[in-house]
Amino acid sequence: MIIIDNLYKRFDSLEVLKGVSLSIEKGKTAVIIGPSGSGKTTLLRCLNLLEIPDQGTITLGNKTLDITSRIRLKQAEMVSFRKQTGMVFQSYNLFPHLTAVENVMEGQLSVLKRAKDDARKKALFLLEKVGLHDRTDMYPFQLSGGQQQRVGIARAMAMDPEVLLFDEPTSALDPELVGEVLQVMKDLANEGRTMVVVTHEMKFAGEAADQVIFMDGGVVVEKGTPEDVFNATKNPRTLQFLNKVSDR
């Protein structure tokens, strides 16, 4: 479903990704963990081309991008590739002047060119799915952080993506609101959605992930099942990181 091969990304003189390779099966949840600055978010942003890699190959579904620093990607090619992903951001990124249902409709109307009635029907269905059937006509400022993030999840799903990408979706939330967002994500994982999640929530990784990927210094240090990584690792860098994490 997702194959990343020898991916590199540099910002000026700073090399952030250093030949990352990994694969994620369709219908599985991969959780990427690691210290701040390890390249986790950059890898996620490369998957939907919010950042353009300098080198490497990315395959999503039946589309493959072979990237080199000598070739500039065409805009139409980027848009077509990006449509396969739905992104949930840590800072919600909702349109403040649109209601919850309008936020979930917007991408359907502007990108997918769905009829307004169809877009609204799908938006209402997804908002109910994430537990917000009674918040559809509220604006972001009227919603809690957890509710805003659940609108963000509904908005990502509305685009019918091949894969859902989550960039530290609970990091901006008050602790008491984290659980409601993680529960929605667990429900999606149980449905067999293909998901790639960057998070510091080790408990969620242990409970919901099919594959845990530990990154540090721009490389994949270790990958495996939660049992492999959390309970059976012999890698000294993984052990050092996990020993500093208290919520697993």
Side-chain angles (χ1 to χ4, degrees):
M1 174 60 191
I2 304 173
I3 302 172
I4 301 166
D5 185 41
N6 205 32
L7 204 67
Y8 286 83
K9 177 62 181 177
R10 177 188 296 273
F11 296 99
D12 297 324
S13 61
L14 179 63
E15 193 171 43
V16 179
L17 298 180
K18 305 172 183 177
V20 172
S21 296
L22 57 88
S23 61
I24 299 162
E25 295 180 26
K26 184 175 182 178
K28 302 297 185 181
T29 296
V31 174
I32 306 175
I33 63 172
S36 297
S38 59
K40 308 183 301 293
T41 290
T42 298
L43 176 61
L44 203 68
R45 290 173 66 86
C46 284
L47 279 178
N48 71 351
L49 303 183
L50 287 176
E51 301 290 351
I52 306 301
D54 297 316
Q55 180 182 326
T57 302
I58 304 174
T59 298
L60 286 181
N62 60 1
K63 291 185 181 293
T64 298
L65 283 181
D66 191 356
I67 303 154
T68 75
S69 58
R70 299 181 301 278
I71 299 175
R72 183 168 184 153
L73 296 176
K74 297 178 181 177
Q75 185 65 26
E77 187 178 26
M78 291 170 58
V79 169
S80 176
F81 196 82
R82 194 175 287 144
K83 280 182 180 179
Q84 297 189 104
T85 67
M87 186 82 163
V88 179
F89 300 89
Q90 57 182 308
S91 55
Y92 323 138
N93 284 16
L94 300 182
F95 294 109
H97 63 291
L98 299 181
T99 64
V101 70
E102 289 169 343
N103 264 281
V104 181
M105 290 172 63
E106 179 61 28
Q108 300 181 67
L109 298 173
S110 61
V111 178
L112 300 183
K113 309 300 182 184
R114 281 195 178 125
K116 190 171 183 178
D117 287 347
D118 293 338
R120 181 175 178 83
K121 182 177 180 181
K122 189 173 188 71
L124 291 172
F125 168 78
L126 290 171
L127 286 170
E128 182 172 6
K129 186 180 183 70
V130 298
L132 294 175
H133 62 281
D134 57 345
R135 299 288 190 272
T136 59
D137 294 321
M138 291 187 175
Y139 290 90
F141 77 90
Q142 297 173 304
L143 302 173
S144 70
Q147 290 168 343
Q148 290 185 61
Q149 192 59 291
R150 285 185 279 157
V151 174
I153 293 172
R155 178 180 60 183
M157 290 193 296
M159 304 302 287
D160 298 325
E162 294 284 344
V163 58
L164 287 169
L165 307 174
F166 295 81
D167 182 16
E168 299 190 19
T170 61
S171 65
L173 298 178
D174 292 334
E176 65 268 24
L177 301 177
V178 168
E180 64 188 58
V181 173
L182 293 181
Q183 186 57 56
V184 170
M185 294 170 63
K186 288 178 187 177
D187 292 342
L188 294 175
N190 290 334
E191 290 177 6
R193 295 264 184 175
T194 307
M195 304 185 351
V196 184
V197 183
V198 169
T199 186
H200 292 291
E201 299 286 345
M202 297 299 111
K203 185 176 179 183
F204 170 80
E207 294 175 350
D210 298 292
Q211 180 179 192
V212 175
I213 300 159
F214 173 55
M215 290 186 66
D216 188 35
V219 300
V220 174
V221 175
E222 186 169 5
K223 54 191 173 185
T225 67
E227 174 68 22
D228 291 338
V229 175
F230 290 138
N231 300 320
T233 182
K234 298 292 194 295
N235 187 290
R237 182 63 187 97
T238 307
L239 287 169
Q240 181 187 40
F241 173 77
L242 293 177
N243 285 337
K244 295 179 179 179
V245 178
S246 61
D247 71 334
R248 68 187 182 95

